[in-house]
Amino acid sequence: MYPKVYVYLERIYENARYLNNLCNNYGVNIVGVTKVVCAEPHIAQTFVDSGISILGDSRIQNIKNMIDNGIKAEYMLLRIPMLSELDNVVRFVDYTLISELKTARTLGEVSKFFNKKIKVIYMVDIGDLREGVWFDNAVSEVSEALNIKGIEVVGIGTNLGCFGGVIPSKDNMQKLLDIKSEIEKNTGIILSVVSGGTSATLPLIEDKNLPKGINQFRLGESIICGTDATNRRIVPGTRQDAIVLEAEIVEIKEKPSVPYGKIGHDAFGRKPSFIDQGMRLKGILAVGEQDISPSTTYPLDDKDIEVLHASSDHMIIDLTKSKFKYKVGDKIRFTLGYSSVLRAFTSSYVEKVIL
Ligand SMILES: *Cc1c(COP(=O)(O)O)cnc(C)c1O
């Protein structure tokens, strides 16, 4: 069945191993984040084989699936939990990120019921505007969380780059460390974990700019894709071809570069714009927005192919510049960026081939 994604486990292993060494040498422990591949068990096992001991995912279902597949690791829930899933959090999770006292208290209650203490990393928003207590209020809120019975607040963490696109820096990492010191001074309790970042924080290690004391990174994209979308870069020392998509051509025709007729909006409510380049040789691949994101779908073998656009189930490519004579039925291979990997693994229409 096409489309297919090929998963090269050895390449993922290489990336994981490389990043694990890089971070460990800097006193930073890695949480291997599996959400972009929907916690595909072979990939999760590869993370563990590479030396990663904590696996992180946003979805309880994914964590449960890894446990059911016998993957031996500690598990971290990355998305701050819903009140309605706390019983499952207690059952399946070792660490959870939290940013609400109400959730922390309820978790404490539920924990008592199951007689199991969950380790909590309290999230602090140092500017990106996604989860976490705003930094000005962090010392008092986390100090209060440290009093809650039934949970163990082991540290603080932050998330950057994901909503506001804020780039991790020496300054905002230091801010997190200052908050940690204040909390420790305030409460007399030592926080053992400072979970500083995602793949977007790696440049601070590469450039030796990470302040001492940040001791955990939660890495997904850099291990699986070898990229860092926030900084728009390839992560040095990693490969980008661990996941490869293969899709089949269902039409090849000469067509104009500009549509014919009055232009409204496309299938996704976007207003397309076109440059007149005359007649072009265009192909349609049987893959679409439901399976990938065309802006992060990159031709692997033939760099002269240009990805133009996609609707739900059709991706349009321009073959005019290619040296090859493609025909209907041919398969084309692509490497994928983060958003495309996420969709490909979420789509049940994409066959996964583990190599
Ligand atoms: C997704 C996620 C990560 C991993 O980010 P990458 O960019 O894939 O490295 C880390 N932390 C949290 C809270 C996340 O949701």
Side-chain angles (χ1 to χ4, degrees):
M1 187 184 90
Y2 286 93
K4 290 185 204 292
V5 284
Y6 296 96
V7 179
Y8 294 89
L9 290 178
E10 216 170 282
R11 298 176 185 175
I12 292 175
Y13 179 86
E14 276 176 48
N15 284 355
R17 194 97 208 143
Y18 172 77
L19 290 169
N20 209 11
N21 282 339
L22 180 77
C23 292
N24 286 349
N25 287 340
Y26 221 87
V28 172
N29 205 20
I30 288 189
V31 175
V33 174
T34 49
K35 69 186 185 210
V36 69
V37 290
C38 299
E40 200 291 319
H42 298 87
I43 299 178
Q45 184 60 53
T46 303
F47 277 22
V48 173
D49 294 344
S50 80
I52 292 172
S53 60
I54 308 177
L55 298 178
D57 205 288
S58 310
R59 317 259 172 172
I60 283 283
Q61 296 96 317
N62 287 351
I63 290 177
K64 183 167 182 302
N65 189 40
M66 289 189 276
I67 294 171
D68 288 347
N69 276 278
I71 294 155
K72 298 269 174 294
E74 286 196 288
Y75 289 97
M76 176 184 286
L77 182 65
L78 293 173
R79 185 170 62 190
I80 45 175
M82 298 180 261
L83 288 174
S84 59
E85 66 181 348
L86 290 182
D87 52 342
N88 282 332
V89 174
V90 175
R91 281 166 67 197
F92 301 120
V93 165
D94 302 289
Y95 293 87
T96 183
L97 308 182
I98 288 261
S99 70
E100 287 285 354
L101 287 171
K102 178 173 178 172
T103 310
R105 288 196 185 98
T106 314
L107 185 64
E109 297 293 317
V110 180
S111 295
K112 275 185 251 170
F113 186 74
F114 283 91
N115 200 17
K116 179 180 165 197
K117 223 173 198 179
I118 304 299
K119 290 182 273 233
V120 165
I121 293 173
Y122 213 93
M123 295 301 276
V124 179
D125 186 345
I126 52 176
D128 196 56
L129 303 183
R130 208 176 76 174
E131 74 274 49
V133 50
W134 191 247
F135 58 83
D136 281 334
N137 310 324
V139 173
S140 67
E141 192 164 319
V142 179
S143 300
E144 215 174 319
L146 279 159
N147 285 324
I148 297 171
K149 302 263 183 311
I151 59 170
E152 186 187 359
V153 179
V154 294
I156 56 174
T158 198
N159 200 67
L160 290 166
C162 284
F163 175 75
V166 172
I167 292 172
S169 66
K170 198 171 180 167
D171 288 347
N172 52 32
M173 288 296 113
Q174 187 57 49
K175 182 176 241 151
L176 192 64
L177 289 168
D178 293 346
I179 290 168
K180 173 194 181 254
S181 305
E182 276 297 304
I183 296 166
E184 290 179 337
K185 220 163 61 195
N186 207 22
T187 61
I189 300 169
I190 301 296
L191 298 174
S192 58
V193 180
V194 185
S195 194
T198 63
S199 300
T201 322
L202 286 168
L204 294 183
I205 288 190
E206 293 160 24
D207 305 338
K208 304 197 174 357
N209 270 329
L210 186 74
K212 225 182 169 54
I214 304 284
N215 59 14
Q216 185 182 79
F217 277 15
R218 309 172 307 267
L219 301 182
E221 182 188 2
S222 48
I223 302 177
I224 305 277
C225 306
T227 54
D228 154 13
T230 301
N231 294 295
R232 282 198 156 256
R233 65 179 198 131
I234 280 170
V235 176
T238 63
R239 11 192 343 161
Q240 289 70 48
D241 57 356
I243 312 280
V244 171
L245 173 87
E246 196 171 35
E248 182 171 334
I249 300 177
V250 289
E251 181 187 295
I252 297 183
K253 291 192 191 303
E254 286 255 353
K255 289 191 189 179
S257 34
V258 179
Y260 181 80
K262 188 171 180 306
I263 294 172
H265 291 84
D266 76 0
F268 285 81
R270 302 166 295 206
K271 182 107 187 162
S273 68
F274 300 92
I275 298 161
D276 193 353
Q277 298 173 289
M279 292 298 279
R280 309 292 286 181
L281 184 66
K282 299 214 199 141
I284 299 181
L285 292 165
V287 67
E289 292 270 6
Q290 197 162 7
D291 319 295
I292 46 89
S293 167
S295 59
T296 57
T297 303
Y298 313 106
L300 173 61
D301 308 297
D302 183 352
K303 308 288 183 213
D304 293 324
I305 293 176
E306 191 190 349
V307 174
L308 294 177
H309 200 66
S311 55
S312 313
D313 319 291
H314 301 73
M315 187 160 89
I316 319 294
I317 52 177
D318 189 327
L319 300 169
T320 314
K321 283 195 258 163
S322 175
K323 293 181 283 296
F324 299 95
K325 269 207 81 62
Y326 291 102
K327 51 190 189 313
V328 169
D330 283 351
K331 317 290 189 289
I332 307 224
R333 300 200 304 164
F334 298 88
T335 56
L336 304 174
Y338 188 82
S339 55
S340 286
V341 173
L342 181 69
R343 285 192 189 175
F345 277 84
T346 306
S347 172
S348 57
Y349 304 102
V350 178
E351 185 182 331
K352 283 83 183 168
V353 183
I354 309 291
L355 300 169

